[in-house]
């Protein structure tokens, strides 16, 4: 960002040289226990390759899944239109909530699948976002995750979540229909402390229509499905190589040859991924497990290192199949998620509070009224025990400020700035680009907020103390063993 004098301002979000609280190290996150796990003691888990389903076309122009699945056809227009015309027909009503439409895609032409006939889906997939299956763990030495600590994708319309991410192998010129069922708990509070039970899936950086791109606020609710039609089209297909004559703009045909497609071959894509795109909750939901891999194969990168046709780059991959070999093409997912002592997955980078279900602990229950207020009003700027975000970390704030000062400041901070209160001035110096707004809360709401922050502070301090005690005990045993 340039100033009036033309100098480049070191502002977070505009300049790579600006200091960022979001990248502060250490972050303040409690250390994750390892439960005795050692390095390199577990085979590398490969991603789960999905089997494509052949789609066919009915007389009405709908896309049909295999009959054995019992799936309703995929259509150009959303089933929300059918619900609007038949609001009492159970075929179109959310079977979980018993209200609202069965499909999450909004109604009308605006969210109809664009150029449906041109990019009619040739292959399909049916998957469900759900709590992780019982017994799932991130390492054999780790205890199993609680189901609502990890939300990830499972097989079919009613499968439980599988911890290992899925992978779809797509190719240019073969449009994909991905039917995504939301099988998460109906209540938002059943999330073990972070993540939102509403989702929208974004095929990152792919060339898809807006209705299938996981656009902001096009999330769908538990009990519904959403049909994403991924066109697998090359960029600028209406402007460059429109006659599909350039062999470099192509896809493997399965028999050693090429299917040529229109578009710019310089825009070919390869290793891709899809992820949750829920507004305000993307990071939390991705940490929670809402993601998958998509490899797009082309004539240039067909996943066959032997075939030599003058187009194929013969990148290391294998040669058993005509295309899609992954012998040396390994999709990796790296995460810096943290874990509680009781092994509930915990996203400290996005979630302002630790997970709520800590079995066997002596911590006080989290006050739900204060939690709701904090999540709505405070979490965008503050954390509790994670470090500064937009504003200061509120861990143990009641120990640093008097109860009277804290309550009054929460209600109307502008009064403190107007009279140049020393502590308010100190905050202004530490966070010069932000001012806390007047929240206009009543006394009861302010009290609930403070009780909530104090309760979470005690919980965070207890977790850190337990982790430190465990590390100290381990060090003691190690020293004792050496002495012996």
């Amino acid at each position: 960002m340039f100033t009036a004098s033309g100098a480049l301002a070191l502002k977070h979000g505009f300049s790579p040289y600006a200091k960022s609280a979001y990248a502060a190290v250490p972050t303040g996150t409690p250390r994750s226990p390892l439960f005795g796990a050692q390095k390199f003691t577990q085979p590398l888990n490969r991603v789960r390759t999905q089997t494509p389903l052949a789609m066919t076309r009915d007389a009405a122009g709908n896309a049909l899944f295999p009959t054995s699945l019992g799936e309703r056809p995929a259509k150009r227009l959303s089933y929300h239109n059918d619900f609007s015309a038949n609001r009492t027909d159970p075929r179109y009503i959310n079977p979980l909530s018993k209200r609202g439409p069965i499909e999450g895609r909004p109604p009308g032409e605006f969210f109809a699948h664009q150029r449906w006939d041109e990019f009619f889906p040739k292959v399909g997939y049916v998957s469900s976002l759900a709590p992780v299956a019982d017994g799932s763990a991130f390492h054999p030495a780790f205890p199993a995750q609680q189901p609502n600590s990890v939300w990830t994708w499972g097989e079919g319309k009613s499968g439980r979540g599988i911890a290992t991410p899925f992978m779809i192998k797509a190719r240019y010129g073969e449009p994909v229909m991905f039917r995504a069922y939301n099988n998460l708990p109906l209540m938002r509070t059943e999330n073990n402390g972070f993540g939102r039970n509403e989702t929208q899936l974004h095929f990152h950086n792919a060339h898809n229509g807006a209705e299938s791109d996981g656009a902001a606020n096009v999330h769908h609710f538990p009990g519904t499905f959403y049909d994403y039609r991924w066109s697998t089209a090359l960029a600028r297909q209406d402007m460059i190589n429109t006659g599909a004559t350039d062999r470099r703009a192509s896809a493997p045909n399965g028999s050693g040859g090429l299917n040529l497609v229109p578009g710019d071959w310089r825009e070919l894509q390869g290793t891709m991924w899809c992820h949750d795109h829920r507004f305000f909750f993307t990071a939390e939901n991705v940490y929670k497990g809402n993601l998958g891999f998509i490899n797009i194969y082309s004539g240039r990168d067909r996943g066959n290192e032997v075939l030599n046709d003058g187009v194929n780059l013969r990148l290391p991959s294998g040669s058993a199949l005509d295309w899609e070999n992954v012998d040396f093409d390994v999709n990796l997912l790296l995460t810096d998620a943290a874990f509680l002592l009781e092994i509930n997955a915990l996203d400290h980078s996005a979630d302002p509070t630790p997970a709520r279900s800590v079995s066997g602990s002596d911590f006080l229950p989290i006050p739900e009224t204060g939690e709701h207020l904090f999540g709505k009003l405070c979490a965008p700027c503050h954390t509790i025990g994670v470090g500064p975000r937009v504003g200061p970390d509120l861990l143990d704030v009641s120990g640093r400020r008097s109860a009277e000062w804290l309550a009054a400041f929460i209600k109307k901070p502008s009064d403190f700035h107007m009279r140049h209160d020393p502590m308010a001035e100190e905050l202004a110096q530490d966070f010069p680009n932000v001012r806390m707004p007047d929240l206009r809360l009543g006394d009861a709401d302010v009290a609930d907020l403070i009780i909530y922050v104090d309760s979470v502070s005690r919980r965070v301090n207890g977790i850190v103390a337990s982790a430190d005690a465990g590390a100290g005990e381990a060090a003691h045993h190690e020293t004792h063993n050496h002495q012996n």
Side-chain angles (χ1 to χ4, degrees), residues 326-358:
V326 291
D327 299 21
F328 307 103
D329 190 0
V330 182
N331 298 71
L332 294 177
L333 167 66
L334 304 178
T335 177
D336 60 350
F339 297 89
L340 291 175
L341 294 174
E342 284 75 15
I343 203 56
N344 296 317
L346 172 61
D347 165 25
H348 267 302
S349 70
D351 180 35
T353 63
R356 290 181 58 192
S357 60
V358 184

Side-chain angles (χ1 to χ4, degrees), residues 460-482:
V460 171
N461 289 331
I463 292 171
V464 173
S466 298
D468 288 342
E473 182 179 355
H476 169 75
H477 285 302
E478 183 69 18
T479 303
H480 182 73
N481 289 337
H482 282 304

